[in-house]
């Protein structure tokens, strides 16, 4: 017999029981629909999530300056260099500070009373900084004010405390002009910082912050050790390349730059994570659909025992019967795939409209979904087709039709 | 006159505990142009004999020659081909596909034996004319009377131009008027040279045949009436 004849038989078998066929197709519709929807939504949402990452962390850069090799060696970055960075297009704030070396924090106390029964000295990091720390670390002030260029210029002995440092020293208010004694030297507290805004810059929250001039005078903190930069959205990669040159024109490669990961990489990573999860969901529902087809096709085979017997009596070989049922389930899968892909794309567009997102629809996915549906139908039909082919025509033919 | 089929000492034993012997040494010869009725009560082995004659089942022992070819040693594939091309089946419950038109149902005959679509259509139209349903091509079986449905089934069996028309209780689901019309059709086919083998439990149906054999407990015996009519049973 001709292949065309077999196809005609299969297609008319699909159309024979419209209600059952629609029910069966519904299984594939759910599966393919879920697949296309989840993939589409995840692509769209991935875009969105990555956009939020861009807006916050992808604008923060930290430059670490190595400690000078010798006592008299010139500093790698001079105190005037941060102004060069501030002039770069795309930089919103830049702050630089020197700090007490790691592990050699200075004793700080909040009053001058000598009480031998209590330990009142706290070992805290001390920063000598420019006047732009709140902006460059996205911090607010919980109380008082930060020192300004005038304090720096006049070498005023003033201090601003990080919130954790203030808590440790027991200072909560500054209207009574409290003083802190750092390594025995008095500084007037003029402000307390709020919670840190940059998770990559925890040090200022725990530190006593002095104008760099005053810190160099009294404590010998020395040259810049850290430069914190914030940039406009999307400028981080460019500024990360330009900042070392602006800071240390003689030896830009000596600086260590911590820039956020490339936004494209970040977006792909996030979108990949979400897609992977949702893809599994989609595949699971596709398997459910396949089981549904297998189940219903099996029922159909049982119900059409007499027809199978008749076809066998008419000279159909086992493989004719098997191929007919395989084609039937494949056609059902194909129809489900086409309707499911269309429904999925509509769902992506509808969800995007509701959320005011830009829908991302993969053309290849839409085109291959019907084929995936057909493949699911084919695989699901394997067992029922095998059962149909094995069926003995003998008994079926004598029973009622 | 050539033989269409010849059974010799055919046994069919079904494996069970104890084994069931459905056919116990059946000898039967059908010649071209015969009109033979096989009668017997239920449980007598009629179904098994039908399956063996229709090449749907294979005898446990014995010989079954169809148009001179030994079928018991044939491959399943050749036996299926022979069944599709040389035997036309007519069943008690018609086995029409309810969702296909009369013409499409009749065109199923020859589908699996490699007859091209156009040829099947031509033959189906001719077969429907032969059974007197030339005006019903586009009807669905559900809109036909029982007698008309059985005529469609007979037309389907005739499409492949079979050597043997094997009818299993062809009037079992029909009222007397429809039974009469189907039996008249059998007479016409017989007159046109067809070979008919009708399995029935209905004495009036059997009486229309040229000769009758009775099957009881898996054994063939000549009915007294048939034995008087002629003695051609071997």
């Amino acid at each position: 017999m001709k292949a065309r004849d077999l196809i005609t038989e299969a297609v008319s078998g699909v159309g024979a029981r419209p209600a059952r066929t629609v029910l069966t197709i519904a299984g594939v519709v759910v599966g393919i629909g879920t697949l296309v929807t989840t993939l589409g939504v995840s692509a769209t949402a991935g875009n969105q999530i990555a956009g939020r990452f861009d807006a916050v962390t992808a604008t923060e850069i930290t430059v670490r300056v190595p400690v000078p090799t010798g006592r008299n060696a010139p500093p790698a970055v001079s105190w005037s260099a941060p102004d060069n960075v501030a002039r770069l297009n795309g930089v919103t704030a830049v702050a630089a500070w020197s700090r007490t070396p790691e592990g050699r924090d200075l004793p700080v106390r909040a009053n001058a009373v000598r009480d031998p029964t209590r330990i009142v000295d706290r070992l805290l990091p001390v920063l000598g900084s420019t006047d732009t720390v709140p902006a460059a670390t996205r911090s607010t002030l919980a109380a008082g004010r930060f020192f300004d260029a005038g304090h720096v210029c006049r070498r005023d002995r003033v201090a601003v405390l990080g919130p954790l440092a203030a808590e440790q020293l027991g200072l909560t208010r500054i209207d009574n002009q409290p003083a802190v004694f750092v390594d025995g030297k008095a500084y007037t507290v003029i402000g307390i910082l709020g919670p840190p805004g940059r998770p990559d810059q925890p040090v200022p929250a725990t530190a006593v912050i002095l104008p760099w001039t005053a810190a160099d005078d009294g404590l010998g903190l020395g040259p810049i050790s850290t430069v914190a930069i914030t940039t406009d959205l999307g400028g981080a990669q460019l500024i990360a390349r330009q900042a070392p040159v602006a800071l240390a024109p003689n030896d830009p490669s000596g600086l260590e730059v911590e820039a956020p990961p490339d936004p494209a990489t970040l977006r792909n990573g996030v979108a990949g994570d979400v897609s992977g999860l949702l893809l599994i969901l989609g595949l699971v529902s596709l398997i459910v659909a396949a089981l549904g087809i297998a189940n219903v096709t099996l029922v159909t085979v049982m119900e059409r025992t007499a027809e199978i017997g008749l076809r066998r009596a008419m000279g159909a070989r086992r493989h004719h019967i098997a191929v007919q049922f395989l084609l039937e389930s494949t056609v059902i899968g194909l129809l489900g795939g086409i309707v499911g892909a269309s429904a999925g794309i509509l769902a992506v567009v509808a969800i995007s409209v509701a959320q005011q997102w830009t829908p991302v629809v993969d053309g290849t996915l839409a085109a291959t979904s019907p084929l995936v549906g057909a493949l699911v139908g084919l695989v699901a039909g394997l067992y029922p087709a095998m059962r149909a082919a094995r069926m003995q025509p003998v008994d079926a033919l004598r029973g009622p039709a | 006159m050539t033989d269409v089929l010849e059974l010799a000492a055919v046994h069919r034993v079904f494996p069970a505990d104890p084994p069931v012997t459905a056919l116990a040494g059946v000898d039967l010869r059908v010649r071209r142009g015969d009109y033979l009725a096989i009668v017997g009560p239920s449980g007598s082995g009629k179904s098994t004999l039908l399956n063996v004659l229709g090449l749907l089942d294979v005898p446990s022992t014995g010989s079954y020659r169809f148009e001179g070819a030994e079928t018991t040693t044939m491959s399943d594939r050749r036996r299926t081909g022979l069944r599709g091309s040389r035997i036309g089946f007519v069943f008690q419950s018609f086995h029409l596909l309810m969702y296909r038109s009369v013409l499409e149902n009749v065109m199923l005959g020859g589908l699996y034996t490699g007859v091209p679509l156009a040829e099947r259509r031509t033959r189906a139209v001719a077969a429907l004319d032969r059974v007197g349903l030339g005006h019903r091509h586009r009807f669905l079986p559900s809109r036909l009377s029982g007698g008309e449905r059985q005529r469609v089934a007979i037309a389907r069996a005739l499409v492949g131009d079979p050597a043997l028309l094997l009818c299993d209780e062809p009037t079992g689901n029909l009222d007397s008027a429809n039974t009469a019309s189907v039996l008249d059709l059998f007479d016409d086919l017989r007159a046109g040279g067809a070979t008919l083998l009708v399995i029935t439990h209905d004495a009036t149906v059997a009486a229309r045949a040229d000769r009758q054999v009775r099957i009881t407990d898996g054994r063939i015996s000549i009915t007294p009436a048939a034995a008087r009519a002629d003695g051609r049973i071997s």
Side-chain angles (χ1 to χ4, degrees):
Chain A
M1 70 183 293
K2 296 262 168 54
R4 205 185 68 188
D5 295 341
L6 252 186
I7 291 168
T8 308
E9 292 307 301
V11 168
S12 79
V14 168
R17 293 162 183 78
R20 160 120 4 113
T21 302
V22 165
L23 272 179
T24 315
I25 289 175
V28 192
V29 168
V30 169
I32 294 284
T34 312
L35 189 69
V36 173
T37 308
T38 50
L39 288 184
V41 168
S42 73
T44 312
N47 232 352
Q48 221 59 30
I49 293 166
R52 280 182 201 140
F53 270 92
D54 287 349
V56 187
T57 62
T59 58
E60 298 170 353
I61 300 170
T62 304
V63 181
R64 298 193 191 287
V65 182
V67 182
T69 46
R71 182 81 185 150
N72 294 321
V77 177
S78 74
W79 280 102
S80 62
D83 288 339
N84 301 340
V85 175
R87 292 212 316 272
L88 290 176
N89 197 11
V91 171
T92 54
V94 54
W97 59 76
S98 58
R99 67 158 288 182
T100 49
E102 204 85 46
R104 285 175 41 205
D105 293 342
L106 295 172
V108 180
R109 58 165 67 188
N111 59 61
V113 177
R114 293 188 181 279
D115 182 350
T117 64
R118 287 175 58 205
I119 298 167
V120 291
D121 283 352
R122 305 277 175 183
L123 287 175
L124 294 174
V126 178
L127 305 186
S129 81
T130 58
D131 60 329
T132 48
V133 168
T137 61
R138 297 188 202 281
S139 303
T140 52
L141 280 152
R145 52 166 299 187
F146 206 80
F147 50 79
D148 58 26
H151 291 107
V152 175
C153 211
R154 291 190 300 271
R155 300 179 174 260
D156 284 345
R157 288 170 59 145
V158 293
V160 174
L161 302 181
L164 300 176
E167 196 184 320
Q168 286 206 328
L169 293 169
L171 282 174
T172 54
R173 42 190 293 207
I174 47 112
D175 52 354
N176 55 354
Q177 295 193 311
V180 290
F181 297 84
V182 180
D183 204 19
K185 298 178 181 65
Y187 296 85
T188 307
V189 178
I190 59 168
I192 298 174
L193 286 176
R198 276 180 66 168
D200 65 325
Q201 296 294 354
V203 176
T206 64
V208 177
I209 306 166
L210 312 174
W212 66 267
T213 45
D216 201 32
D217 289 348
L219 305 167
L221 283 186
I224 292 173
S225 62
T226 304
V227 182
I229 306 168
T230 59
T231 72
D232 284 331
L233 188 59
Q237 296 299 308
L238 181 69
I239 300 300
R241 284 197 300 277
Q242 294 176 345
V245 181
L247 289 170
N250 294 331
D251 186 16
S253 62
L255 305 185
E256 183 188 333
V257 181
E258 282 177 18
D262 187 6
T265 317
L266 192 69
R267 175 167 56 232
N268 289 346
V270 171
D273 290 348
V274 177
S275 302
L277 198 67
L278 295 179
L279 181 66
I280 291 171
L281 275 176
L283 289 179
V284 165
S285 51
L286 209 54
I287 291 169
V288 171
L291 288 174
I293 297 184
N295 201 13
V296 174
T297 309
L298 199 57
V299 171
T300 308
V301 166
M302 297 304 165
E303 193 194 64
R304 287 162 71 181
T305 303
E307 181 190 326
I308 294 166
L310 172 77
R311 289 179 184 276
R312 296 275 280 141
M314 310 276 286
R317 297 211 298 275
R318 291 183 192 280
H319 81 262
H320 288 139
I321 303 295
V323 168
Q324 182 186 335
F325 280 92
L326 269 184
L327 277 178
E328 282 190 22
S329 65
T330 305
V331 168
I332 283 172
L334 181 70
L335 291 176
I338 291 170
V339 178
S342 313
I345 288 169
L346 283 180
V348 170
V349 171
I351 290 170
S352 301
V353 166
Q355 304 275 5
Q356 303 203 326
W357 292 347
T358 307
V360 179
V361 174
D362 187 344
T364 318
L365 180 70
T368 50
S369 289
L371 296 181
V372 173
L375 186 69
V376 168
L378 180 72
V379 171
L382 279 176
Y383 174 69
M386 203 177 70
R387 283 284 296 266
R390 276 190 192 162
M391 205 163 263
Q392 291 294 335
V394 175
D395 308 310
L397 289 169
R398 295 216 78 184
Chain B
M1 203 178 259
T2 51
D3 286 347
V4 173
L5 63 87
E6 183 179 7
L7 296 184
V10 162
H11 288 253
R12 183 69 175 96
V13 181
F14 292 104
D17 192 24
V20 178
T21 304
L23 298 178
V26 173
D27 300 300
L28 185 67
R29 176 184 287 176
V30 177
R31 289 175 183 161
R32 198 166 302 285
D34 265 358
Y35 182 1
L36 172 70
I38 298 175
V39 293
S42 54
S44 58
K46 273 187 309 186
S47 304
T48 310
L49 184 58
L50 169 83
N51 289 330
V52 169
L53 288 172
L55 296 170
L56 294 165
D57 197 4
V58 185
S60 305
T61 60
S63 158
Y64 176 19
R65 299 171 76 83
F66 191 93
E67 295 192 310
E70 180 59 54
T71 63
T72 51
T73 53
M74 270 181 194
S75 69
D76 194 43
R77 186 177 169 157
R78 267 197 72 195
R79 201 160 44 237
T80 302
L82 194 60
R83 175 168 75 232
S85 58
R86 302 305 294 157
I87 302 177
F89 288 88
V90 177
F91 302 100
Q92 176 177 3
S93 40
F94 323 135
H95 291 308
L96 299 178
L97 303 182
M98 299 312 282
Y99 53 91
R100 309 287 286 271
S101 73
V102 163
L103 187 63
E104 285 176 328
N105 264 289
V106 176
M107 281 167 64
L108 277 180
L111 170 69
Y112 295 103
T113 49
V115 183
L117 181 69
E119 172 71 13
R120 279 194 285 132
R121 183 182 295 273
T122 313
R123 287 198 201 176
V125 170
L128 279 170
D129 286 342
R130 209 167 155 193
V131 300
L133 287 176
H135 56 300
R136 291 276 195 256
H137 290 183
R138 298 273 152 233
F139 277 53
L140 288 179
S142 52
R143 295 185 53 202
L144 300 180
S145 72
E148 285 175 320
R149 291 185 200 185
Q150 192 60 295
R151 285 159 175 270
V152 173
I154 293 167
R156 181 181 62 197
L158 292 172
V159 160
D161 192 22
L164 173 69
L165 205 55
L166 194 55
C167 310
D168 177 28
E169 299 280 8
T171 60
N173 282 1
L174 301 181
D175 59 22
S176 54
N178 279 315
T179 298
S181 79
V182 166
L183 292 179
D184 289 345
L185 176 59
F186 283 165
D187 286 344
D188 292 345
L189 296 175
R190 163 81 176 81
T195 308
L196 284 142
L197 200 158
V198 180
I199 294 177
T200 182
H201 67 276
D202 186 336
T204 58
V205 173
R208 296 283 288 264
D210 292 345
R211 59 191 180 104
Q212 300 177 36
V213 295
R214 174 168 293 277
I215 180 166
T216 318
D217 296 333
R219 287 187 173 79
I220 291 276
S221 57
I222 306 162
T223 59
R228 272 196 305 281
D230 59 58
R232 288 188 298 174
I233 294 162
S234 52

